[in-house]
Amino acid sequence: MHRITVLGGGLVGSVMARDLARDDDIHVTVVDADHQRLQRIAREDGARLSTLHADLRDAEQVRNAVRDADAVVGAVPGWLGYQVLEQVIEASKPFVDISFMPQDPRPLDAAARDKGVVGLVDMGVAPGMSNILATRLALDMQKPRDLRIYVGGLPQVRRWPFQYAAVFSPADVIEEYTRPARLIENGQVVTRPALSEIETLDFEGVGTLEAFNSDGLRSLMWTLQVPNMKEKTLRYPGHGEMMRMLRDTGYFAKQSVRVGQVDVRPLDLTLKLFETAWMMPVGEGDVTVMRIEVEGEHEGKSAYFAYDLHDRFDLQTQTTSMARTTGFPCALATRLLLRRQLPLEPGIHFPEAVARHPKTLDNLIEGLRQRGISFQRKTEKPAAATPTTTPRKLPTIPC
């Protein structure tokens, strides 16, 4: 019996634990600090998995929680991810992580090598599958020139004024709207403001969406040699301009302002209001849309290679699309790691490493297909959407 410990029992952690527990030869333990969350997991899936209460901010409790594990899955909030992985490595446990930590995880590589630990980080949908499939497309093209990743999680029902609902923390969404976006242009890292250079694209089954710059390339900036690369976030048209107005007015500011006799951080007030304004009504569900495009030259001709994803809320299991598309790749990669089917040496690895092993990638894509998540490969460029917003050309700022 293989033992897997899932650190974090939230929206995605619980989905991964449930998926892993389907296997007769795997026992799963979910670790979290929230008693109510653990009780819900035990009530719904207690016959197939175990729960453990622990404060994962405490290094000793992390090490104790993973002591008996054959592999560890990291699903804690991003701000906690790095320090949790430090302790997982100290305990000499292999892991797959989706905490999407803001820190660069490469400094953990030396410790992982010393401990003989294989670690795979950012193994969700984007980053995660976006990295893998972007790398596969670039490797398949003889002279890739441009890589574009468009991805977004959206409500299935549009509502005024925001035309958006968050299936995870509004704080993480606002971070995406404020952190400068790093792109690759002519082989150099440059920055653009988040929410900038809005363009429109058409997606079958969804319609016209807008896309704006976001800081989503992450490890692709140093692992993939394509002259021009960018990632853009997808939303329903009009959302980006509204968020830019709020941001530039100061609603996302972290510095306190004096209101009467009270000091208030505008961001705290905004987040509190968005908890309600961005709440997805029960039963409506979400949709995940992604398009990965590579253009360049292949066999002496101009070429276009792409993958499209269109996934929706699972009515039968009442599982959000974002949890499915983020959690299932991580759960499948954990199985591959546990069964020594991930051909990786000790150290810290990024998802794109999987793309360099076709058999492993095929197993991953097939596992996702069996769970109702299908990536469609295409070689014909879609027709351009009718522009609704003219992209504003911004100066290039060397990073």
Side-chain angles (χ1 to χ4, degrees), residues 10-17 19 73-76 96-100 121-130 132 151-153 167-168 286-290 309 311 319-334 351 364 368 371 373 375:
L11 177 72
V12 181
S14 60
V15 168
M16 292 189 294
D19 184 76
V73 176
V76 300
V96 183
D97 184 75
I98 56 155
S99 65
F100 309 131
V121 299
D122 284 356
M123 192 56 215
V125 61
M129 292 306 298
S130 59
I132 295 171
V151 60
V167 296
F168 50 90
D286 63 323
V287 56
T288 303
V289 182
M290 183 161 67
L309 169 69
D311 184 76
T319 305
T320 66
S321 173
M322 186 55 64
R324 286 163 38 80
T325 57
T326 301
F328 289 158
C330 186
L332 289 164
T334 303
L364 179 61
L368 290 171
R371 288 159 176 78
I373 299 173
F375 291 90

Side-chain angles (χ1 to χ4, degrees), residues 93-113:
K93 302 298 181 180
F95 64 86
V96 183
D97 184 75
I98 56 155
S99 65
F100 309 131
M101 64 197 78
Q103 302 96 327
D104 183 347
R106 288 179 293 178
L108 296 172
D109 184 67
R113 289 175 182 270

Side-chain angles (χ1 to χ4, degrees), residues 326-347:
T326 301
F328 289 158
C330 186
L332 289 164
T334 303
R335 287 182 174 88
L336 293 171
L337 177 64
L338 190 68
R339 291 166 181 154
R340 302 185 184 279
Q341 295 173 335
L342 268 182
L344 302 176
E345 297 295 324

Side-chain angles (χ1 to χ4, degrees), residues 304-331:
Y304 172 90
F305 296 166
Y307 277 104
D308 271 11
L309 169 69
H310 177 188
D311 184 76
R312 289 184 178 269
F313 178 79
D314 189 323
L315 286 170
Q316 182 176 356
T317 63
Q318 292 293 295
T319 305
T320 66
S321 173
M322 186 55 64
R324 286 163 38 80
T325 57
T326 301
F328 289 158
C330 186

Side-chain angles (χ1 to χ4, degrees), residues 8-44:
L11 177 72
V12 181
S14 60
V15 168
M16 292 189 294
R18 192 175 299 119
D19 184 76
L20 288 164
R22 292 167 45 180
D23 294 14
D24 292 336
D25 63 340
I26 292 178
H27 180 78
V28 179
T29 300
V30 181
V31 185
D32 203 283
D34 188 323
H35 283 290
Q36 290 185 338
R37 181 177 289 170
L38 293 176
Q39 288 171 359
R40 185 184 69 251
I41 292 171
R43 184 171 59 252
E44 295 175 356

